[in-house]
């Protein structure tokens, strides 16, 4: 029974990612831009339909990165400028913050926040009155406030139209590298077969 459940969950995840990344045409997607201070690249991705935080997290991982984690004012300035340059509504982009133990008195509204990478949560430029754990105490996920650069907590429902991906290593054109790797592998096999 466990294997069947695991397989079903895997299929659901596959179809979710396929729908997000292949069936949905991106409205706006910028080329990853590297921030020299940490060598990481960031990409602002806006999709046509609205998506949950979990869908954004899975899509960012499928792209080879993770939802952006912002640990300093300088990094926040860099990332929020990318979001603003992408146009549209700044608050429509998920970031990689979440509450680890939501709904408990010790955590609400402003404690137990973490980054998807496990980095220390030490920087949080909350918008005035935020986080507030609004909408019936269900706001446990991070996005930008309408003013980019300020944080807001939000519930995990289909509200955002995009997310910010952070790549730990600059993303050098994955498809190009994959093609080059396959070409090299084919060349080496052909050479081995003739030797």
């Amino acid at each position: 029974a466990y294997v069947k459940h695991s397989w079903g969950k895997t299929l659901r995840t596959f179809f979710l990612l396929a729908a997000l990344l292949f069936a949905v045409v991106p409205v706006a997607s910028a080329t990853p831009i590297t921030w020299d201070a940490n060598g990481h690249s960031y990409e602002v991705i806006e999709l046509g339909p609205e998506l949950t935080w979990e869908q954004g997290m899975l899509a960012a991982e499928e792209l080879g990165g993770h939802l952006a984690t912002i640990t300093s004012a300088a990094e926040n300035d860099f990332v929020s400028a990318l979001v603003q340059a992408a146009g549209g509504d700044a608050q429509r982009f998920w970031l990689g913050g979440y509450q680890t133990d939501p709904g408990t008195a010790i955590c609400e509204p402003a404690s137990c926040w973490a980054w998807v990478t496990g980095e220390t949560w030490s920087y949080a430029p909350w918008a005035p009155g935020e986080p507030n754990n609004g909408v019936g105490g269900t706001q446990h996920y991070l996005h930008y406030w309408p003013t980019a650069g300020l944080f807001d907590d939000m519930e995990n429902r289909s509200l955002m139209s995009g997310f910010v991906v952070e790549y730990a290593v600059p993303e050098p054109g994955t498809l190009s590298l994959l093609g080059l790797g396959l070409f090299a592998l084919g060349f080496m096999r052909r050479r081995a077969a003739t030797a």
Side-chain angles (χ1 to χ4, degrees):
Y2 176 76
V3 174
K4 185 177 181 182
H5 173 72
S6 177
W7 178 250
K9 185 176 181 181
T10 301
L11 281 176
R12 282 193 304 277
T13 301
F14 172 77
F15 287 121
L16 169 67
L17 292 174
L20 283 173
L21 298 176
F22 300 110
V24 176
V25 178
V27 173
S29 176
T31 303
I33 297 177
T34 302
W35 184 42
D36 291 337
N38 65 5
H40 293 189
S41 294
Y42 300 82
E43 183 174 15
V44 177
I45 297 180
E46 187 172 1
L47 302 172
E50 295 176 330
L51 69 158
T52 67
W53 184 87
E54 289 177 348
Q55 290 169 331
M57 180 189 69
L58 289 171
E61 290 172 357
E62 185 65 24
L63 290 169
H66 56 79
L67 287 175
T69 59
I70 300 173
T71 59
S72 70
E75 185 177 18
N76 191 35
D77 289 346
F78 181 82
V79 174
S80 65
L82 294 178
V83 170
Q84 290 173 2
D89 190 348
Q91 71 178 330
R92 306 293 288 175
F93 296 93
W94 288 118
L95 299 170
Y98 68 101
Q99 278 187 301
T100 59
D101 196 13
T104 60
I106 196 168
C107 290
E108 298 301 349
S111 297
C112 305
W113 284 90
W115 295 113
V116 292
T117 56
E119 293 168 272
T120 302
W121 182 275
S122 58
Y123 173 77
W126 294 108
E130 301 297 338
N132 62 8
N133 197 32
V135 188
T138 60
Q139 295 187 334
H140 313 301
Y141 302 91
L142 189 69
H143 74 110
Y144 273 129
W145 186 249
T147 304
L150 296 180
F151 292 175
D152 181 33
D153 57 338
M154 185 57 65
E155 61 272 17
N156 184 37
R157 63 184 174 111
S158 301
L159 289 170
M160 304 304 153
S161 56
F163 52 96
V164 182
V165 183
E166 180 177 348
Y167 303 98
V169 207
E171 191 69 10
T174 305
L175 292 177
S176 299
L177 283 179
L178 178 61
L180 183 61
L182 290 173
F183 174 79
L185 181 62
F187 178 78
M188 290 176 13
R189 284 188 176 170
R190 177 185 280 169
R191 191 165 185 192
T194 58

